[in-house]
């Protein structure tokens, strides 16, 4: 660290993207305490995990995983907010790499051909400047050694407010939201579909339907966080 860096740190101290505490000089983005106390789900060690059960009977998938547990007002919400709205893409890469190294320990890197993010609608992409899933995908791809295809899927329509629709109307409404834009990365491929956070799973379901319509071999899901 140069004197100038010290000076900058004095004016713009860096904060942990999870707990908001000041970072020490050798800490980057997420402090040591938060790194050692990540609220992990360990879903990848349990084939019948809670997320897998959420998709049961709805879509046919091989694995459903989420790295971290999301709690309202918690540390995971904080880091996701920074990733999504404050341009902290490095945090997504970092967490994607950590997650990738956990999956690699279980040899899962041999089970996928393509890593594909849930896409944003073009107008939202223009407004935000980037898809918050792309850094997560990049981190996973680096660690797993599996190719990333950031534009394999395309979002055709904004997710309209669905609160007043019946279940059947909702189904019709979501089934063609997404389409495959790059068939080469999908057809006959074992796909790992990535989102930042999963709640009901309906967005992921729509993506899975589009991937299966384009004749992928199989689909699995890996999200950075899961809301219970
Ligand atoms: Zn922290």
């Amino acid at each position: 660290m140069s004197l100038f860096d010290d000076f900058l740190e004095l004016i713009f101290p860096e904060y942990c993207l999870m707990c908001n505490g000041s970072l020490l000089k050798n800490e980057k983005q997420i402090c040591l305490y938060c790194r050692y106390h990540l609220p992990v789900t360990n879903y990848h060690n349990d084939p019948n995990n809670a997320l897998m059960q959420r998709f049961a009977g709805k879509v046919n998938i091989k694995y459903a995983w989420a790295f971290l547990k999301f709690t309202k007002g918690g540390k995971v919400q904080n880091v996701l907010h920074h990733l999504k709205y404050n341009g902290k893409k490095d945090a997504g890469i970092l967490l994607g790499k950590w997650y990738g190294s956990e999956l690699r320990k279980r040899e899962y890197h041999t089970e996928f051909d393509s890593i594909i993010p849930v896409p944003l609608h073009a107008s939202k992409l223009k407004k935000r400047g980037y898809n918050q899933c792309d850094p997560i995908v990049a981190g996973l791809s680096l660690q797993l050694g599996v190719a990333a295809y950031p534009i394999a899927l395309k979002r055709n329509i904004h997710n309209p407010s669905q609160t007043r629709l019946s279940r059947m109307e909702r189904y019709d409404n979501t089934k063609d939201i997404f389409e495959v834009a790059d068939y080469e990365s999908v057809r006959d491929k074992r796909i790992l579909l990535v989102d930042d956070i999963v709640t009901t799973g309906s967005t992921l379901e729509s993506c899975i339907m589009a991937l299966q319509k384009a004749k992928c071999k199989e689909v699995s899901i890996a999200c950075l966080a899961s809301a219970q």
Side-chain angles (χ1 to χ4, degrees):
M1 276 246 179
S2 69
L3 199 63
F4 185 64
D5 287 331
D6 283 340
F7 174 70
L8 280 181
E9 208 173 323
L10 207 62
I11 314 173
F12 306 110
E14 287 197 60
Y15 295 102
C16 170
L17 300 177
M18 289 190 109
C19 71
N20 298 329
S22 303
L23 288 177
L24 300 173
K25 270 184 184 166
N26 56 349
E27 293 176 335
K28 285 270 173 280
Q29 302 173 75
I30 295 170
C31 76
L32 219 55
Y33 180 87
C34 289
R35 287 177 189 233
Y36 279 105
H37 295 86
L38 284 178
V40 291
T41 66
N42 282 314
Y43 282 167
H44 57 286
N45 295 324
D46 176 10
N48 195 31
N49 65 63
L51 190 57
M52 196 67 181
Q53 288 171 28
R54 219 178 292 175
F55 289 98
K58 294 177 181 168
V59 279
N60 188 14
I61 47 174
K62 188 167 186 198
Y63 303 116
W65 299 325
F67 187 31
L68 305 171
K69 291 176 201 159
F70 178 97
T71 42
K72 218 166 164 60
K75 290 178 177 187
V76 174
Q77 183 176 28
N78 198 26
V79 72
L80 286 181
H81 184 89
H82 282 301
L83 170 63
K84 201 164 174 177
Y85 301 108
N86 296 342
K88 303 288 187 190
K89 291 181 238 177
D90 286 354
I93 296 174
L94 181 72
L95 289 164
K97 279 167 83 175
W98 286 350
Y99 197 16
S101 74
E102 287 304 309
L103 297 176
R104 203 179 171 104
K105 280 182 203 163
R106 301 283 305 238
E107 303 281 325
Y108 282 124
H109 60 291
T110 61
E111 298 200 31
F112 305 108
D113 305 306
S114 305
I115 307 182
I116 294 174
V118 170
L120 290 183
H121 187 263
S123 63
K124 205 169 206 175
L125 188 65
K126 199 173 170 194
K127 200 172 150 200
R128 192 174 296 160
Y130 62 98
N131 178 352
Q132 73 275 10
C133 295
D134 285 351
I136 306 166
V137 163
L140 280 166
S141 171
L142 271 170
Q143 206 58 248
L144 294 174
V146 177
Y149 295 96
I151 51 168
L153 276 171
K154 182 175 162 237
R155 192 178 195 125
N156 288 325
I157 37 175
H158 266 306
N159 219 349
S161 171
Q162 300 183 338
T163 46
R164 279 169 293 133
L165 302 177
S166 74
R167 191 181 156 79
M168 204 56 217
E169 283 170 327
R170 216 156 46 222
Y171 175 77
D172 282 339
N173 212 13
T174 52
K175 70 177 179 182
D176 290 323
I177 291 181
F178 299 96
E179 73 173 305
V180 167
D182 174 10
Y183 280 86
E184 284 298 298
S185 61
V186 171
R187 192 174 291 129
D188 289 326
K189 299 285 196 266
R190 301 167 301 167
I191 292 164
L192 186 62
L193 177 66
V194 175
D195 207 352
D196 55 343
I197 181 162
V198 50
T199 49
T200 63
S202 64
T203 304
L204 287 159
E205 273 178 52
S206 306
C207 287
I208 292 161
M209 283 190 260
L211 292 168
Q212 288 172 342
K213 204 169 150 188
K215 303 268 188 290
C216 68
K217 193 169 182 186
E218 59 194 28
V219 191
S220 297
I221 295 163
C223 300
L224 200 52
S226 171
Q228 302 307 304

